[in-house]
Amino acid sequence: MNVRQISKEDTWQLRQSVMWPDKNIEYVKIDNDHEGIHYGLFDHNELCSVISLFVQGDTAQFRKFATDTSRQGKGYGTTLLNYVINEAKEMNTKIIWCNARKNKTTYYKRFGLTPSNDTFQKGGVDYVIMSRHL
């Protein structure tokens, strides 16, 4: 396994197939994708997991974190998220946060993220904002 920066375009197919398989690919593109740092985890040159990091000042948000469904539960996502958290630390950010699907909060708690009282819904999915100090 190796992690490297990739283009925003390289994230879109995996984002769509994992996060919103019933939507078209335009749905997973972010208006400010061009401002993000996009990472991919590869296994034998196959893209297995993607995540995008957006840094503003001393705050970093990760978005569109997706691991191929056939590879979930095998450590790919964990490896990638740990990598991105370390990258955010090296950029001297103080806080990292995400909009977590409510059914994934237990997963993010393993990385020290804490749910807030800020919740919202998008596309019929419930989200909670989670964060941690770095």
Side-chain angles (χ1 to χ4, degrees), residues 8-107:
K8 64 183 184 286
E9 294 86 0
D10 289 338
T11 69
W12 294 341
Q13 184 61 51
L14 196 52
R15 282 180 186 176
Q16 186 270 333
S17 67
V18 173
M19 301 177 78
W20 299 102
D22 58 331
K23 306 280 187 192
N24 68 40
I25 201 146
E26 294 301 314
Y27 193 78
V28 300
K29 296 178 183 179
I30 304 171
D31 287 341
N32 65 334
D33 252 342
H34 64 281
E35 297 171 9
I37 306 165
H38 309 281
Y39 299 90
L41 180 137
F42 293 81
D43 188 15
H44 297 96
N45 287 327
E46 264 189 73
L47 183 60
C48 301
S49 190
V50 296
I51 194 168
S52 299
L53 186 67
F54 297 84
V55 178
Q56 285 192 317
D58 63 358
T59 303
Q61 178 189 18
F62 64 90
R63 300 183 69 183
K64 304 297 184 190
F65 178 32
T67 300
D68 183 281
T69 52
S70 68
R71 292 182 165 100
Q72 290 178 5
K74 298 178 182 176
Y76 294 102
T78 297
T79 299
L80 182 57
L81 186 52
N82 279 325
Y83 183 93
V84 167
I85 289 169
N86 286 329
E87 288 284 294
K89 284 179 186 176
E90 288 185 18
M91 294 175 195
N92 294 315
T93 61
K94 305 287 184 233
I95 295 172
I96 191 163
W97 68 282
C98 71
N99 297 324
R101 291 180 181 216
K102 278 194 173 179
N103 66 341
K104 299 294 184 183
T105 57
T106 301
Y107 178 78

